[in-house]
Amino acid sequence: MNKKIDERQQQEFYKCEHMAFRIMFSVSVIVIVIQMLFMKAAFQQVLGETVILACGGISMILSCLKSGLWSYNNNEPSVKSNLIYSIICSVVATLLFAIIIYTRAGIKVMTPTIIGGFFGGIFILGFIVLTLLGQVSKNTKKKIENKYKDI
């Protein structure tokens, strides 16, 4: 296949794709939250959007890991950043969980134990996943750097 664009145009094209992906990803999240919170949609009703969101997110993560990339500003993964991101994700997920449970089942179902357990579970799961993915990214980056050192 013959390329009809130069390198600058290709970089601009990639920027456009990047922005479009971010917009689609964000809109999917917003649509799912709106349907779950305000329209009281069942999970089966948002399953399509959720699958699309999961596929996009997983493919992005796998692509970055395959390339040895961790963050946009080339920071290395660390325990501190993993803790911060885990806490942020846990707070957001727990708030959404609490609001959805409250709107559907009422205050009687929401006990501090359930809310605390949900927060703790999401925090631990998020921290473990970030730590493992960070280690995979570091290892891949080292392999790629070693591959090009020999040349």
Side-chain angles (χ1 to χ4, degrees), residues 92-121:
V92 171
T94 302
L95 284 174
L96 288 173
F97 174 75
I99 292 169
I100 290 170
I101 295 299
Y102 177 75
T103 58
R104 291 171 188 248
I107 195 75
K108 294 178 184 177
V109 177
M110 285 184 9
T111 64
T113 307
I114 290 174
I115 300 298
F118 185 83
F119 176 85

Side-chain angles (χ1 to χ4, degrees), residues 42-151:
F43 183 70
Q44 293 83 1
Q45 292 172 309
V46 294
L47 186 60
E49 291 97 332
T50 305
V51 168
I52 292 168
L53 184 68
C55 288
I58 290 169
S59 66
M60 183 73 169
I61 289 169
L62 293 177
S63 297
C64 288
L65 289 177
K66 183 180 177 187
S67 301
L69 301 173
W70 180 249
S71 69
Y72 188 72
N73 54 4
N74 206 21
N75 288 342
E76 292 293 321
S78 68
V79 173
K80 180 182 174 184
S81 65
N82 291 349
L83 285 171
I84 291 169
Y85 292 130
S86 296
I87 289 171
I88 291 169
C89 290
S90 298
V91 167
V92 171
T94 302
L95 284 174
L96 288 173
F97 174 75
I99 292 169
I100 290 170
I101 295 299
Y102 177 75
T103 58
R104 291 171 188 248
I107 195 75
K108 294 178 184 177
V109 177
M110 285 184 9
T111 64
T113 307
I114 290 174
I115 300 298
F118 185 83
F119 176 85
I122 296 295
F123 172 77
I124 291 168
L125 181 65
F127 183 77
I128 290 171
V129 167
L130 284 173
T131 302
L132 291 174
L133 291 176
Q135 193 59 45
V136 169
S137 176
K138 278 184 183 179
N139 293 342
T140 305
K141 186 176 180 179
K142 283 181 186 175
K143 285 180 185 175
I144 291 171
E145 287 173 354
N146 289 338
K147 177 180 160 184
Y148 289 111
K149 252 185 207 176
D150 296 338
I151 296 176

